[in-house]
Amino acid sequence: MISVVIPTRESGNLLIPTLAALVPGAAAGLVREVLLVDGAAGSSGEIAEVADAAGCEYLAGPSDRGERLRLGAQAARGPWLMFLEPAGLLQEGWTREVRSFIDQAERTGGAEKRAASFRPALDGFGLGTRFKETATVLWQVTTGRARPEQGLLIHQRLYQRLGGHEGGERAPQRLVGRIGRGRMVLLRSHMLLPAA
């Protein structure tokens, strides 16, 4: 059902935990494929090796982040796209909630009307980390805009209707802006992100 697209660029060391967190989704039949779209010029082949070892599809892409995301979406075969950043780590229980969101969207005819992102959780301890985490959630609730690090779950038809990712480093933010506040759902499942 889901094609996961991860734009990589000299981020092989970050990928292993991210890919491991996707295993429950693959085992449940939820994740159809994972596409690693690498933009590292003159890459040593590290991302290709990780893709081969993990059973992912490797695509050599341009250095432009937006173009890499678009390339991954074009190559995807699943009806749903899930865009993840290499440092994002999906937390336990994400498969159940994603399946519930997809089932409800398809059952009610909302697949082309809604997209979703994960609730941010920052890796670390202490009051400062929790304060940053709360501020991030409040910012999203107030603005209706998810950050790229939180991931994006969107149906292929809605993605195409919105024009997909444009070129540029801020392509994910611009796509979320086109989705709009009223169509973005904040899932209860967490995406663990580096605190710094």
Side-chain angles (χ1 to χ4, degrees):
M1 289 170 50
I2 297 175
S3 292
V4 179
V5 178
I6 304 176
T8 61
R9 189 172 184 173
E10 300 172 2
S11 52
N13 60 331
L14 300 173
L15 274 174
I16 304 302
T18 301
L19 295 175
L22 293 171
V23 170
L30 186 62
V31 173
R32 177 180 181 160
E33 62 187 346
V34 178
L35 301 104
L36 304 182
V37 189
D38 192 29
S43 174
S44 64
E46 179 186 12
I47 302 298
E49 290 174 12
V50 170
D52 185 52
C56 303
E57 186 172 339
Y58 173 82
L59 299 170
S63 61
D64 183 281
R65 184 179 185 194
E67 293 300 322
R68 275 183 283 147
L69 290 164
R70 179 185 290 277
L71 178 64
Q74 289 170 345
R77 295 176 301 223
W80 287 87
L81 300 170
M82 187 160 71
F83 296 99
L84 299 179
E85 291 296 312
L89 190 58
L90 288 165
Q91 297 297 282
E92 188 175 337
W94 72 269
T95 56
R96 183 175 52 254
E97 187 161 14
V98 165
R99 187 179 296 278
S100 176
F101 172 79
I102 289 173
D103 288 347
Q104 183 184 31
E106 291 180 347
R107 186 176 61 250
T108 61
E112 293 183 49
K113 299 175 186 168
R114 294 217 178 262
S117 68
F118 296 94
R119 189 173 298 274
L122 298 180
D123 193 8
F125 301 99
L127 189 57
T129 301
R130 298 292 76 84
F131 179 76
K132 286 181 192 176
E133 195 174 89
T134 301
T136 301
V137 172
L138 288 174
W139 180 84
Q140 182 174 352
V141 169
T142 304
T143 63
R145 292 187 174 207
R147 297 174 187 221
E149 299 84 17
Q150 292 174 237
L152 175 65
L153 179 64
I154 186 169
H155 197 279
Q156 280 266 25
R157 289 192 301 265
L158 178 56
Y159 179 81
Q160 296 300 330
R161 198 173 80 219
L162 293 171
H165 285 97
E166 301 168 347
E169 194 63 27
R170 295 191 49 82
Q173 291 90 330
R174 289 195 300 272
L175 177 60
V176 168
R178 290 195 308 276
I179 292 170
R181 180 178 184 165
R183 291 190 286 197
M184 184 61 78
V185 173
L186 180 62
L187 300 173
R188 289 184 299 270
S189 298
H190 287 88
M191 175 75 73
L192 187 65
L193 303 167

